[in-house]
């Protein structure tokens, strides 16, 4: 494998800044393209990318292919890189994902996970009493003091992360499809059954308040929408966009977040999106969440179906939905409002979905993040940030 001769000092500085700002490796392409903003990170990343491109220009096609093959699988599956030519745009993509891979390797290694030593557990440094709750396999016994969520275990106002091997592709996001069902079964049968689960002993613990801010404030998790990858069966997964509570949108329509979920089976990519109403946005005894479902035949490159609906939840049960993620199916009922079958072109597909979600800026942002920032000035997107800008 060929290694690029990056400035090691700058690379370490970038790693340090990403950790400080809680920036995940797979978020870096969004910073390089300007979709996400952090001037310090973007300038440093740009310098490293420029240097990496110069190195790549000197490599043969086979050497570049060998380099890309060395990326961790969790990185390679998102990148879709062409190593056959020296096109500058493609070289910049390779350079960015090379840096993503370097950050990924610096964050954790599978060898460290396999040979885990819990003596230096970050969890036990804060909560030494939990050590007494482990069994011989280092599984944590659960009881009423530990509150289960899809994203982690709440204990004394902190969130303890699940073990890396309980995360999708062992990378970053919890396997909510499994954990959601596991937690439901725990809640229903804990008086009959004994439950234990593995935790991450080396991730930094965050307070529940910090974690709520991560979920709520202008946060983007998961892959961005890419029209060029509509027919890529591997470009799937969950994306979450959180409502910025300082935005003027909040005055019109109180939302917590919007979820976008792509899956693939038997030649069909399925798209689901659901807005998650915030506490207080209820009517009589119900919460109403707009929901869209769509199917695309990737062989024929045809969006064959799209429908819009409202999912209805009882107010008393809504906390369960709010703590879960798509493909959650646990609504009280779903009322379909419209449906199209045949061949829906991309432009109209996006427009129909966006306007169906009137009052929900996160759908617009998902499909066109650059256009979103162009259309809505900072005063609208984040009123508090705009006020500070005026005062400075």
């Amino acid at each position: 494998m060929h290694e690029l001769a990056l400035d090691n000092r700058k690379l370490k500085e970038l790693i340090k800044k990403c950790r400080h700002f809680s920036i995940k490796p797979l978020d870096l392409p969004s910073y390089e393209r300007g979709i996400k903003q952090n001037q310090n990170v973007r300038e440093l990343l740009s310098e490293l990318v420029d240097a990496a491109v110069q190195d790549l220009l000197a490599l043969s096609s086979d050497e570049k292919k060998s380099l890309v093959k060395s990326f961790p699988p969790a990185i390679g599956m998102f990148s879709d890189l062409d190593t056959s030519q020296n096109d500058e745009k493609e070289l910049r993509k390779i350079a960015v994902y090379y840096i993503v891979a370097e950050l990924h390797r610096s964050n954790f290694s599978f060898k460290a996970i396999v040979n885990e030593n819990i003596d230096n557990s970050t969890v036990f440094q804060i909560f030494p009493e939990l050590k007494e709750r482990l069994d011989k396999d280092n599984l944590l016994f659960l009881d009423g003091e530990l509150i289960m969520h899809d994203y982690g275990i709440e204990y004394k106002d902190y969130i303890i992360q699940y073990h890396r091997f309980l995360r999708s592709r062992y990378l970053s996001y919890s396997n909510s499809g499994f954990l959601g069902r596991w937690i439901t079964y725990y809640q229903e049968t804990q008086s009959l059954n004994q439950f234990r689960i593995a935790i991450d002993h080396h991730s930094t613990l965050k307070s529940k308040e910090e974690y709520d801010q991560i979920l709520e404030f202008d946060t983007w998790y998961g892959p961005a929408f890419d029209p060029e990858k509509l027919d890529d069966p591997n470009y799937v997964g969950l994306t979450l966009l959180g409502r910025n509570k300082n935005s003027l949108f909040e005055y019109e329509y109180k939302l917590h977040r919007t979820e976008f979920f792509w899956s693939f089976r038997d030649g069909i990519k399925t798209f689901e999106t659901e807005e998650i109403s915030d506490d207080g946005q209820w009517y009589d005894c119900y919460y109403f969440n707009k929901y869209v479902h769509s199917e695309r035949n990737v062989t024929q490159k045809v969006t064959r179906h799209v429908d819009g609906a409202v999912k209805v939840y009882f107010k008393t049960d809504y906390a369960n939905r709010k703590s879960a993620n798509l493909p959650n199916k646990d609504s009280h009922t779903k009322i379909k409002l419209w449906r199209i079958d045949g061949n829906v072109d991309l432009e109209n597909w996006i427009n129909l979905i966006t306007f169906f979600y009137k009052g929900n800026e996160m759908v617009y942002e998902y499909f066109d993040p650059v256009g979103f920032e162009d259309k809505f000035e900072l005063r609208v997107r984040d009123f508090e940030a705009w006020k500070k800008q005026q005062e400075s």
Side-chain angles (χ1 to χ4, degrees):
M1 183 201 85
H2 189 95
E3 291 187 0
L4 303 184
L6 296 181
D7 185 321
N8 199 45
R9 181 188 60 80
K10 288 183 178 179
L11 183 60
K12 286 183 177 179
E13 181 65 19
L14 179 63
I15 292 170
K16 182 179 177 181
K17 287 183 181 297
C18 286
R19 286 176 178 167
H20 176 74
F21 292 110
S22 298
I23 295 172
K24 294 181 174 63
L26 279 169
D27 285 337
L28 285 183
S30 294
Y31 284 93
E32 198 271 337
R33 291 193 293 266
I35 294 173
K36 292 188 174 184
Q37 299 294 327
N38 184 306
Q39 196 62 28
N40 291 330
V41 168
R42 191 179 183 194
E43 287 178 1
L44 195 53
L45 177 61
S46 182
E47 291 175 13
L48 286 165
V49 169
D50 289 343
V53 167
Q54 295 306 308
D55 269 11
L56 288 166
L57 284 168
L59 300 186
S60 67
S61 178
D62 286 342
E63 286 173 327
K64 285 183 290 194
K65 188 180 294 184
S66 173
L67 181 74
V68 170
K69 280 186 176 180
S70 73
F71 294 174
I75 304 300
M77 70 171 292
F78 286 108
S79 52
D80 188 28
L81 302 172
D82 182 3
T83 60
S84 63
Q85 51 188 321
N86 274 354
D87 175 73
E88 183 178 352
K89 184 179 178 181
E90 198 63 34
L91 289 180
R92 289 193 73 82
K93 282 178 64 178
I94 296 173
V96 170
Y97 277 98
Y98 178 85
I99 296 166
V100 168
E102 290 296 297
L103 262 71
H104 176 83
R105 294 186 183 105
S106 74
N107 281 352
F108 72 95
S109 72
F110 286 110
K111 185 180 290 185
I113 297 171
V114 171
N115 300 299
E116 185 175 56
N117 180 358
I118 65 170
D119 290 340
N120 298 319
S121 168
T122 55
V123 176
F124 296 157
Q125 286 172 14
I126 299 178
F127 302 120
E129 70 274 14
L130 291 183
K131 195 169 186 178
E132 304 302 317
R133 301 195 188 190
L134 293 188
D135 68 7
K136 63 182 179 61
D137 296 312
N138 289 332
L139 296 178
L140 183 68
F141 283 99
L142 299 178
D143 61 25
E145 284 191 282
L146 299 156
I147 302 172
M148 306 289 291
H149 300 287
D150 282 24
Y151 51 82
I153 303 169
E154 183 180 343
Y155 180 68
K156 294 185 177 179
D157 295 324
Y158 277 81
I159 298 297
I160 300 169
Q161 297 293 318
Y162 295 114
H163 194 281
R164 285 277 180 183
F165 288 167
L166 282 171
R167 304 185 190 186
S168 294
R169 303 182 183 93
Y170 314 138
L171 183 58
S172 56
Y173 306 112
S174 296
N175 180 351
S176 59
F178 164 73
L179 286 168
R181 290 165 175 79
W182 198 91
I183 293 166
T184 298
Y185 191 61
Y186 164 72
Q187 292 170 338
E188 292 173 349
T189 69
Q190 57 184 306
S191 61
L192 304 172
N193 298 318
Q194 188 179 75
F195 289 78
R196 316 173 208 186
I197 200 162
I199 61 174
D200 186 341
H201 288 278
H202 301 293
S203 286
T204 302
L205 286 185
K206 286 185 169 64
S207 69
K208 180 67 164 56
E209 183 180 358
E210 288 177 300
Y211 213 92
D212 285 343
Q213 289 174 351
I214 289 173
L215 290 175
E216 291 179 1
F217 286 90
D218 199 24
T219 304
W220 185 318
Y221 288 99
F225 176 72
D226 187 343
E228 295 182 3
K229 294 188 177 180
L230 271 180
D231 299 309
D232 182 348
N234 295 314
Y235 200 69
V236 295
L238 175 69
T239 298
L240 305 178
L241 268 85
R243 160 66 63 83
N244 186 334
K245 295 300 181 181
N246 293 327
S247 74
L248 297 186
F249 301 111
E250 184 70 3
Y251 292 97
E252 178 181 355
Y253 192 21
K254 293 187 182 299
L255 294 172
H256 183 268
R257 66 182 185 274
T258 305
E259 302 177 356
F260 306 85
F261 184 74
W262 288 93
S263 58
F264 176 79
R265 183 177 180 180
D266 298 333
I268 303 299
K269 277 184 79 169
T270 299
F271 172 73
E272 299 174 77
T273 181
E274 181 178 354
E275 65 183 15
I276 309 301
S277 299
D278 212 344
D279 297 338
Q281 189 69 40
W282 45 267
Y283 305 85
D284 291 335
C285 59
Y286 304 111
Y287 278 90
F288 301 137
N289 290 351
K290 286 182 183 175
Y291 170 82
V292 163
H293 165 265
S294 186
E295 295 177 353
R296 183 173 176 85
N297 186 314
V298 300
T299 303
Q300 298 176 2
K301 302 185 185 303
V302 168
T303 299
R304 67 181 191 179
H305 166 84
V306 58
D307 68 75
V310 165
K311 285 190 172 184
V312 180
Y313 300 87
F314 283 120
K315 189 165 68 171
T316 51
D317 299 330
Y318 190 64
N320 293 330
R321 174 60 187 97
K322 198 174 174 186
S323 65
N325 297 126
L326 285 174
N328 179 284
K329 306 293 183 186
D330 296 332
S331 61
H332 164 61
T333 189
K334 182 173 68 176
I335 300 172
K336 287 198 176 183
L337 302 174
W338 56 274
R339 172 173 176 160
I340 303 172
D341 297 286
N343 184 352
V344 185
D345 65 277
L346 180 61
E347 182 178 357
N348 279 300
W349 182 78
I350 291 174
N351 284 339
L352 287 169
I353 294 173
T354 302
F355 281 95
F356 177 60
Y357 282 99
K358 183 180 179 182
N360 182 344
E361 78 290 352
M362 293 168 280
V363 176
Y364 188 165
E365 184 179 5
Y366 174 72
F367 285 124
D368 187 3
V370 175
F372 171 74
E373 292 202 358
D374 288 342
K375 181 171 182 176
F376 299 107
E377 59 180 325
L378 181 61
R379 183 183 64 85
V380 177
R381 301 194 317 268
D382 190 329
F383 186 70
E384 293 301 320
W386 176 79
K387 281 202 304 184
K388 289 179 182 177
Q389 191 180 77
Q390 302 308 302
E391 294 165 0
S392 62

